[in-house]
Amino acid sequence: MDKLTLTTPVFINGKKVKELLYDASAITVGMFAEAEARKLRATSAKGGGFAGACEMDYSLHLYLGMMAVIAVNPEIDVTDLERVSGPDVMQLMRIGRNFITQRPEELSGESGLENSPETIPALSTSPSESSEKKS
């Protein structure tokens, strides 16, 4: 879990909030889909909506950043986070961008091959075996 420190506090549930905890690794499939849907609603009427690749979709990154906050603060609503302004918008976007671009071992803190899954042997036969079967 990490902490986002806002340069401009935002009111959430009647309280002035300057710090938000977040955890990008807690984003679920449903949250990812909700981020995509909200991004489309926010950008489609403005001529946006389709970035072509999620790695380049900055509006999706923004909403994924919001989902990372909501994952550990379920009392916060997306509409609360849509009131974030100034450089804090970019901070939220970076959280979502990092979620999209990080390798799995970076998210979990693992590194190296010692924790990688075993290689599954090929199921096909070698060329010499297949020619023997035809004979």
Side-chain angles (χ1 to χ4, degrees), residues 53-87:
C54 65
E55 293 84 0
M56 302 297 289
D57 193 339
Y58 305 114
S59 297
L60 174 61
H61 299 170
L62 178 60
Y63 279 95
L64 285 171
M66 292 178 192
M67 293 301 150
V69 171
I70 292 168
V72 294
N73 303 284
E75 72 281 2
I76 296 177
D77 189 71
V78 172
T79 56
D80 295 323
L81 296 173
E82 287 176 328
R83 291 192 301 273
V84 167
S85 63

Side-chain angles (χ1 to χ4, degrees), residues 71-125:
V72 294
N73 303 284
E75 72 281 2
I76 296 177
D77 189 71
V78 172
T79 56
D80 295 323
L81 296 173
E82 287 176 328
R83 291 192 301 273
V84 167
S85 63
D88 299 328
V89 173
M90 293 303 290
Q91 289 190 84
L92 272 175
M93 186 276 302
R94 285 185 194 102
I95 293 168
R97 181 196 61 203
N98 291 344
F99 172 79
I100 292 288
T101 59
Q102 283 184 328
R103 295 187 310 263
E105 63 269 12
E106 290 172 335
L107 285 173
S108 66
E110 297 174 6
S111 62
L113 297 175
E114 64 276 357
N115 294 318
S116 64
E118 293 182 28
T119 304
I120 299 172
L123 297 176
S124 63
T125 58

